[in-house]
Amino acid sequence: MDKIAQLLKLLENTDTIELNEFRMDFEELELHLMPAVQQVVGQAQQAAIVKEIMPAEEFKPPIHDYPGEVAEVQLGAGSRKQVFLGGQKALYRFEEPQPNPPVVTFDVFDIPMPGLPRPIREHFEDVMEHPGDWAKKAVKDFGANMVTIHLIGTGPKVMDKTPKEAAADIEEVLQAVDVPLVIGASGDPQKDPVVLEAAAAAAEDERCLLASANLDLDYRKVAKAAVDYNHAVLSWAITDINMQKTLNKYLMKEGLTQNDIVMDPTTCALGYGIEFSIDVMTRTRLAALKGDTDLQMPMSSGTTNAWGSREAWMKKEEWGPTDYRGPIWEIVTGLTLMLCGVDIFMMLHPQSVKMLREIGETFTKEYMTTEVPDISNWVSQLE
Amino acid sequence: MAVTAMDVYKLLPKTNCAKCGEASCMAFATKLKDKEIGLEICTQLAANEFDKLADILAPAVREISIGKGAKAMIAGGDEVLYRYELTYYNQTPLVIDISDDMDEAAFDERVKKIEEIQFERTGELLTLDAIALRNKSGDASRFKEAAEKLKNANLALVLCSFDADAMKAALEAVGDERPLIYGATENNIEEMATLALEYDCPVALFVPNDLEKMKELSRTLRAKGITDIVLDPGTYVNAGIGDTLDDFIMIRRLAVEERDEDFRFPIMGVPALTWLNTEEDEVNTAIKEATIATTLINKYADIMIIHGTEIWELIPVLTLRQSIFTDPRKPQAVDAGVYEIGEVNEDSPVALTTNFALTYYTVEGDLKSGNANGYLLVLDTEGRAVDVAVAGGQFNGKAVADLIKESGIEDDVKTRKMVIPGLAAPTSGEIEDDTGWEVVVGPRDSSALADFLKEKV
């Protein structure tokens, strides 16, 4: 024992020991030296503890440098108020707050839409005959920053309204409100481009968002209408980042720039594949910040899809009232995608819109600049 | 930084003995890195190499078990910041709070409710994981008594008190069940640390909105030899949610990207704080609590304490949890082909759907609960839902014609009529053209399909 202590003392100021012609039987070594090794280890541990409780190394927020940034898209011009989407230079606000908060646009339809769920109908029942009144109510009563007018009635199997009638509906909505518009068609690949072209002409220089261009229809016509009449285009791909890149490239070839395109990577509702949307949107935004110029546009979510989920609308006593389930389903769907970077949400229910906005508005604030309540005694204070 | 297969391979015996069932050590290394196989399967590893490997394979976020036996749950274990990079591990345990000052009947009723909440989705039963007992009374013996009662509950336990004496009293009752001690703060850290060591229980560190201090205190706990730590940086529910998000994200980034040892622990979110001094009514507060829970589960909450027990509030949270914890590496698809529902014969009706697992199980469940009989044709849409597959072109006439041929359905039934999903209506023409079958457009939601088959087909 003493010899070992002496040996250790000798070695105190030694960094390395060179052993020549040394042969070791491991088990034997363990047996003979065990007590001393333990003692040495004990000392080492203590040393480690002393080191550990030294003041913690300084906390440094994990801030990244991003070579790319998200393009800013202006919606609304002429007689419209202006809304800006995108413009992020970082992923999170502790790195750099985003310049524009996420925006919600209320869905309005050109026909009364008997299929809308009751919790929504009850808010808009009195105005559903006239898209202008409907839009006005969304803005006046529910503070909509934007309105989406869906020209569902132009669908050949719906009411087969002509492009001219569609243009008249657009004019009605333009007259009724001064917020920017998203103009949606019926989803008919043959007719949509023609309808959107007529609507774009009716709203010339008002900088609306034409929804949408995709690879299944004549996207050139949609792009040309946007260029000719000063609008932006929604570029819609089906949860496929490569399809999105391709389409964006094509649209830019037609004369649109990053500042004229908003992407819709497709919103799969909560419980119906939302994880696919999460992955695609996350990857898209990361690609934008890494510098992929084909993916640097703001993103949009058709959050209204949430209302198709049975958990949102189906009467079922053991699931509780649909009055609450519907709005929550829309909130959870939208909010989840907002946390993946989505900039504009198409939504239906006023309460969902309110909740989403509350959280979205924090995205433009600096870290630790908000007054927070004292929660240090929540365990006993909570009712 | 994430570990690579090469890092793992270097420490393996490189004998390619194949006893693990893999063709080579490199193949085994790849599986180890992806957590598809356990290290102990390798029979050739020396002990010190085993430890080294175990260390580099340890997840970025430590896995912490709370509760014992059938009540046990695991928090943490994540490796990545985004699920598409790998997958998220260990579904966020959902804990419901209960206070120790309730009268006995109300207490028992709440425990029963928490235990019984369940929601079935795509063949999986979604349930809650634990009960958080709050020392609202401020009284140690009352806290102990309530903890004692919860021994009979069938869920794991979180003990919430900042008073070390009360905590000690409760641990005397349930300390052998490995409850989570909540929690250590700047003021009580010495006492709580002592209790955590004495009872060998995990301990939560509560440091609201001050990551610098949190790092320091985490270090203090670690220096005492405590390894099972949960971090609660505070949950703010109004404008402060922005700070909370930042705190959660920073902690996780530091753990995953910097491997900062002080932050490599599960994060706790407390949506229950929505109920603290709320000015809204109960319904709106519950909706808001679900909103906060959504926010936090999306951004790295590894365990959450919730107050509301209304099923309509919990269904969306349970569903979101199920969704984001599915493994993106596994296709969510069932085999394409023909499936028999109920009793079938040559006069049975035929319906068509896609092979997206969620779609298939929903349709199958609806047909079974509606006591329908018939054949279900399942189209390979590469695991896409109906509307997505229609838009994406996988749901088309030619594909359906191939399915009919390959499945041999024409030998099973006399009918040449099929019901397609309402959402696939635009493809009805091409399906008729390509298959020669008559197409009936069915309901948009399969909940109406069983009746539709009985009445219309």
Side-chain angles (χ1 to χ4, degrees):
Chain A
M1 267 306 285
D2 281 344
K3 276 186 186 156
I4 285 165
Q6 279 172 21
L7 182 65
L8 286 170
K9 190 145 179 61
L10 272 174
L11 294 175
E12 239 174 25
N13 296 316
T14 314
D15 285 328
T16 55
I17 314 168
E18 200 180 322
L19 298 171
N20 289 318
E21 298 193 15
F22 179 75
R23 186 171 162 271
M24 179 164 73
D25 185 335
F26 203 79
E27 276 181 12
E28 216 177 358
L29 179 83
E30 232 181 300
L31 270 174
H32 289 302
L33 296 185
M34 208 52 195
V37 169
Q38 263 182 355
Q39 192 183 36
V40 174
V41 169
Q43 282 165 3
Q45 253 180 5
Q46 256 179 22
I49 289 171
V50 171
K51 199 174 148 204
E52 287 248 71
I53 50 174
M54 299 253 282
E57 59 200 74
E58 205 182 317
F59 167 77
K60 246 178 62 202
I63 290 170
H64 292 182
D65 278 331
Y66 300 95
E69 59 185 80
V70 180
E72 194 168 71
V73 173
Q74 177 185 341
L75 297 177
S79 64
R80 311 287 91 203
K81 286 183 177 150
Q82 298 173 359
V83 166
F84 293 89
L85 308 178
Q88 292 90 337
K89 294 187 171 66
L91 196 58
Y92 296 117
R93 68 166 211 171
F94 64 84
E95 303 177 290
E96 183 172 336
Q98 61 185 56
N100 306 298
V103 172
V104 180
T105 167
F106 266 75
D107 280 351
V108 166
F109 299 84
D110 64 340
I111 54 171
M113 289 298 279
L116 280 186
R118 194 182 49 79
I120 294 155
R121 291 186 67 85
E122 69 185 19
H123 286 292
F124 295 105
E125 199 107 54
D126 51 329
V127 293
M128 293 172 88
E129 290 294 329
H130 301 285
D133 293 345
W134 194 339
K136 204 182 266 175
K137 184 159 190 184
V139 173
K140 253 180 90 182
D141 293 5
F142 301 117
N145 312 107
M146 285 189 60
V147 164
T148 302
I149 168 75
H150 293 278
L151 299 165
I152 294 288
T154 62
K157 284 176 190 161
V158 187
M159 285 172 68
D160 207 15
K161 283 190 186 182
T162 62
K164 211 174 147 189
E165 288 171 279
D169 285 332
I170 295 300
E171 274 164 20
E172 182 186 326
V173 176
L174 285 171
Q175 290 292 325
V177 295
D178 63 355
V179 297
L181 303 187
V182 179
I183 301 176
S186 72
D188 182 90
Q190 269 72 47
K191 199 167 168 189
D192 281 5
V194 192
V195 169
L196 288 175
E197 187 183 36
E204 183 166 9
D205 284 331
E206 299 287 308
R207 200 133 176 101
C208 305
L209 180 62
L210 307 181
S212 59
N214 62 64
L215 289 171
D216 284 341
L217 50 67
D218 185 358
Y219 59 82
R220 283 193 189 85
K221 201 184 214 31
V222 181
K224 185 170 185 304
V227 172
D228 288 352
Y229 302 109
N230 186 20
H231 299 297
V233 167
L234 187 67
S235 165
W236 175 38
I238 316 285
T239 54
D240 181 338
I241 199 163
N242 293 318
M243 187 196 282
Q244 186 78 64
K245 255 176 97 89
T246 305
L247 178 58
N248 291 352
K249 268 198 191 123
Y250 289 173
L251 291 174
M252 289 196 279
K253 248 188 224 156
E254 299 302 313
L256 293 168
T257 69
Q258 280 189 339
N259 307 90
D260 305 314
I261 297 172
V262 177
M263 299 182 281
D264 179 0
T266 300
T267 292
C268 305
L270 171 62
Y272 296 85
I274 194 168
E275 60 276 20
F276 298 107
S277 295
I278 291 174
D279 290 353
V280 170
M281 288 170 179
T282 302
R283 290 173 59 201
T284 302
R285 179 52 47 90
L286 287 171
L289 292 171
K290 276 182 194 144
D292 186 335
T293 51
D294 295 329
L295 292 170
Q296 287 179 324
M297 304 77 173
M299 291 189 283
S300 165
S301 157
T303 317
T304 316
N305 282 352
W307 290 91
S309 313
R310 57 177 56 185
E311 290 84 352
W313 59 265
M314 193 192 282
K315 273 217 160 83
K316 199 163 177 175
E317 211 162 297
E318 63 263 39
W319 290 356
T322 52
D323 282 2
Y324 313 148
R325 277 195 261 131
I328 292 202
W329 218 257
E330 193 177 28
I331 293 169
V332 175
T333 301
L335 193 51
T336 295
L337 302 180
M338 191 159 90
L339 294 164
C340 302
V342 169
D343 301 278
I344 177 167
F345 298 84
M346 306 197 181
M347 298 178 73
L348 272 169
H349 197 278
Q351 189 172 13
S352 317
V353 173
K354 185 171 157 266
M355 283 289 176
L356 223 68
R357 269 211 202 128
E358 252 180 55
I359 301 207
E361 266 155 26
T362 67
F363 289 11
T364 60
K365 310 271 193 317
E366 295 265 356
Y367 177 49
M368 302 272 259
T369 55
T370 312
E371 191 126 342
V372 293
D374 178 11
I375 57 169
S376 57
N377 276 318
W378 75 270
V379 165
S380 51
Q381 282 169 350
L382 194 63
E383 272 314 301
Chain B
M1 284 295 114
V3 65
T4 66
M6 194 43 93
D7 300 333
V8 178
Y9 175 72
K10 281 182 194 152
L11 294 167
L12 288 175
K14 305 183 199 70
T15 53
N16 297 332
C17 72
K19 282 182 189 154
C20 60
E22 299 303 316
S24 66
C25 288
M26 193 63 208
F28 184 62
T30 308
K31 287 214 163 169
L32 276 176
K33 176 198 65 121
D34 291 339
K35 299 192 190 298
E36 286 168 2
I37 206 164
L39 191 54
E40 65 287 349
I41 294 181
C42 181
T43 53
Q44 314 271 307
L45 270 179
N48 59 336
E49 279 159 352
F50 185 96
D51 290 345
K52 259 192 229 163
L53 270 168
D55 187 46
I56 71 163
L57 289 168
V61 178
R62 187 175 170 82
E63 283 186 329
I64 288 174
S65 70
I66 300 166
K68 275 190 179 160
K71 297 182 183 183
M73 59 180 185
I74 294 178
D78 278 341
E79 290 282 10
V80 292
L81 292 173
Y82 313 108
R83 74 182 280 284
Y84 80 85
E85 297 175 289
L86 182 68
T87 184
Y88 289 149
Y89 292 95
N90 300 320
Q91 292 204 356
T92 304
L94 298 180
V95 187
I96 302 282
D97 82 310
I98 189 165
S99 66
D100 67 352
D101 67 343
M102 292 171 96
D103 68 61
E104 193 162 335
F107 189 92
D108 292 346
E109 196 190 326
R110 188 164 168 90
V111 171
K112 190 161 173 273
K113 184 153 196 193
I114 298 166
E115 288 174 334
E116 285 176 355
I117 281 172
Q118 60 175 51
F119 172 60
E120 198 187 328
R121 199 154 207 294
T122 58
E124 203 187 327
L125 203 58
L126 311 182
T127 55
L128 302 171
D129 305 275
I131 299 177
L133 177 66
R134 283 189 295 117
N135 181 210
K136 182 167 168 48
S137 68
D139 183 78
S141 59
R142 201 131 185 212
F143 193 46
K144 180 180 181 179
E145 239 168 72
E148 185 81 52
K149 257 205 251 171
L150 288 174
K151 264 191 159 173
N152 302 321
N154 60 18
L155 295 171
L157 199 53
V158 178
L159 295 174
C160 304
S161 178
F162 299 126
D163 171 2
D165 292 337
M167 188 60 71
K168 187 170 176 50
L171 285 169
E172 278 164 12
V174 294
D176 58 343
E177 298 202 354
R178 210 176 150 74
L180 172 63
I181 297 175
Y182 182 104
T185 66
E186 197 181 357
N187 305 322
N188 67 14
I189 190 158
E190 293 299 325
E191 296 88 332
M192 288 295 180
T194 307
L195 289 173
L197 286 169
E198 185 183 341
Y199 287 93
D200 188 23
C201 289
V203 60
L205 187 56
F206 176 49
V207 187
N209 221 16
D210 186 348
L211 294 187
E212 203 169 341
K213 172 76 62 186
M214 177 161 266
K215 184 174 168 64
E216 190 190 317
L217 295 186
S218 167
R219 195 161 262 249
T220 306
L221 290 179
R222 288 176 50 231
K224 292 175 188 297
I226 295 176
T227 53
D228 290 347
I229 301 170
V230 172
L231 305 174
D232 177 5
T235 297
Y236 296 103
V237 299
N238 294 317
I241 186 71
D243 281 351
T244 299
L245 261 173
D246 285 342
D247 288 337
F248 276 47
I249 294 164
M250 280 195 258
I251 291 176
R252 189 49 37 91
R253 255 199 192 170
L254 288 166
V256 171
E257 291 181 341
E258 320 271 336
R259 296 259 158 177
D260 183 328
E261 298 296 333
D262 298 324
F263 288 119
R264 284 179 65 182
F265 298 106
I267 308 176
M268 177 186 273
V270 188
L273 276 157
T274 314
W275 299 84
L276 189 69
N277 305 323
T278 178
E279 284 162 18
E280 302 271 2
D281 62 22
E282 274 197 23
V283 166
N284 283 313
T285 308
I287 290 179
K288 182 146 184 184
E289 183 178 36
T291 306
I292 298 297
T294 298
T295 308
L296 300 184
I297 206 168
N298 268 301
K299 287 295 170 192
Y300 311 130
D302 300 294
I303 174 169
M304 289 202 295
I305 300 181
I306 291 174
H307 182 72
T309 55
E310 292 291 347
I311 189 71
W312 53 263
E313 176 193 344
L314 293 170
I315 285 176
V317 179
L318 288 165
T319 305
L320 179 65
R321 178 176 73 165
Q322 183 191 37
S323 302
I324 62 180
F325 281 91
T326 52
D327 189 339
R329 294 167 301 177
K330 291 182 190 139
Q332 291 183 44
V334 297
D335 291 337
V338 58
Y339 291 73
E340 294 177 6
I341 309 285
E343 301 282 321
V344 289
N345 57 46
E346 56 180 22
D347 296 315
S348 297
V350 178
L352 178 68
T353 189
T354 79
N355 77 329
F356 181 34
L358 273 166
T359 307
Y360 173 77
Y361 286 116
T362 308
V363 175
E364 187 209 32
D366 286 334
L367 289 177
K368 285 187 172 159
S369 65
N371 297 318
N373 299 309
Y375 288 98
L376 191 55
L377 275 174
V378 176
L379 183 68
D380 181 2
T381 55
E382 295 158 30
R384 288 174 169 85
V386 176
D387 48 350
V388 181
V390 169
Q394 294 84 10
F395 203 115
N396 64 62
K398 169 130 197 331
V400 179
D402 290 345
L403 172 65
I404 286 177
K405 214 156 79 207
E406 282 157 24
S407 67
I409 182 79
E410 293 193 331
D411 300 330
D412 296 330
V413 292
K414 285 196 291 196
T415 184
R416 290 295 179 266
K417 183 155 107 179
M418 80 170 83
V419 180
I420 68 167
L423 290 171
T427 63
S428 61
E430 58 177 291
I431 295 176
E432 289 199 329
D433 293 347
D434 290 341
T435 62
W437 282 46
E438 184 192 336
V439 168
V440 183
V441 176
R444 289 171 66 87
D445 191 282
S446 63
S447 55
L449 183 58
D451 288 343
F452 189 90
L453 289 179
K454 286 177 209 157
E455 287 156 22
K456 306 252 171 75
V457 184

